[in-house]
Structures are given as C-alpha cells and as structure tokens.
Amino acid sequence: MANKEFLKPLKRAMKDHIYLVLEKCCWNRTYTATILQLSIRSLRTYITEMKEEGYDIKDYCKQEADESEDLLWIRRKRKEAQERLEAEYRREHGSL
C-alpha cells in the first residue's frame, strides 16, 4: 500500500496543473475538461477540493475569453483533444 505522505505531492502537482489549464482556458470548465480528458463531473470534484484548499478559482467570463490572446490556444487544444478521442475510438471500434 502506498504511503499517503508520498501521494500528497502528486495530488498537489495534479491540482496545480488543472489550475494552470483552467487559467489558460479563461476558466471555461468544458474546454478544460476536454483538454485534460476528464469528465465535467470529475473536474468539478477537483475544483471543489481546490477551493477548499485555498486555490483562487474564478468563474468563467465570456468577455474575458473573447478578448483573450489565449482563445486560439484553447481552440487548438480542443481540436487536438477531439482528434485524439476520435483516433482512440477508431483504434478500439474500427471506424466512426
């Protein structure tokens, strides 16, 4: 059985990564979940834990996202994630 003290830094690193992707996606949870290949429900669970731990989680702001230089990055990552999911599906099931 794994030592819980050893796992804490890993969970912390994972939450830090989720936070960075959320920030890069202008706090859009749907984009973030797609990029990280998580379900929305799993992402919400992480966000709830992160809020309890003191992470500064913001609400999505459409105006902020529309004005963001990161919008192209979001679209590119979303497309890459979609292509990855489609390729995985094709490997498992033969075709779409």
Side-chain angles (χ1 to χ4, degrees), residues 78-95:
R78 185 176 180 197
K79 184 179 179 186
E80 289 171 5
Q82 183 64 37
E83 289 170 354
R84 207 170 31 248
L85 291 173
E86 288 172 1
E88 185 177 311
Y89 183 87
R90 279 193 292 279
R91 275 193 307 276
E92 292 176 9
H93 302 287
S95 66

Side-chain angles (χ1 to χ4, degrees), residues 27-45:
W27 308 101
N28 184 308
R29 285 147 172 81
T30 303
Y31 286 166
T32 302
T34 301
I35 290 167
L36 295 173
Q37 297 183 352
L38 293 172
S39 68
I40 297 291
R41 186 180 192 110
S42 294
L43 181 61
R44 285 184 185 157
T45 301

Side-chain angles (χ1 to χ4, degrees), residues 39-54:
S39 68
I40 297 291
R41 186 180 192 110
S42 294
L43 181 61
R44 285 184 185 157
T45 301
Y46 282 119
I47 289 172
T48 300
E49 291 174 9
M50 291 163 68
K51 283 181 178 178
E52 291 171 358
E53 292 173 12

Side-chain angles (χ1 to χ4, degrees), residues 14-79:
M14 184 173 59
K15 289 176 183 175
D16 288 346
H17 182 66
I18 290 170
Y19 183 85
L20 290 173
V21 176
L22 269 167
E23 192 174 43
K24 193 82 166 169
C25 290
C26 301
W27 308 101
N28 184 308
R29 285 147 172 81
T30 303
Y31 286 166
T32 302
T34 301
I35 290 167
L36 295 173
Q37 297 183 352
L38 293 172
S39 68
I40 297 291
R41 186 180 192 110
S42 294
L43 181 61
R44 285 184 185 157
T45 301
Y46 282 119
I47 289 172
T48 300
E49 291 174 9
M50 291 163 68
K51 283 181 178 178
E52 291 171 358
E53 292 173 12
Y55 284 83
D56 182 26
I57 305 294
K58 297 176 177 41
D59 291 325
Y60 173 67
C61 176
K62 181 167 176 37
Q63 180 182 3
E64 200 175 291
D66 289 342
E67 295 172 359
S68 173
E69 294 176 6
D70 296 330
L71 190 58
L72 293 176
W73 180 88
I74 294 167
R75 289 180 179 154
R76 187 176 72 246
K77 287 296 184 182
R78 185 176 180 197
K79 184 179 179 186

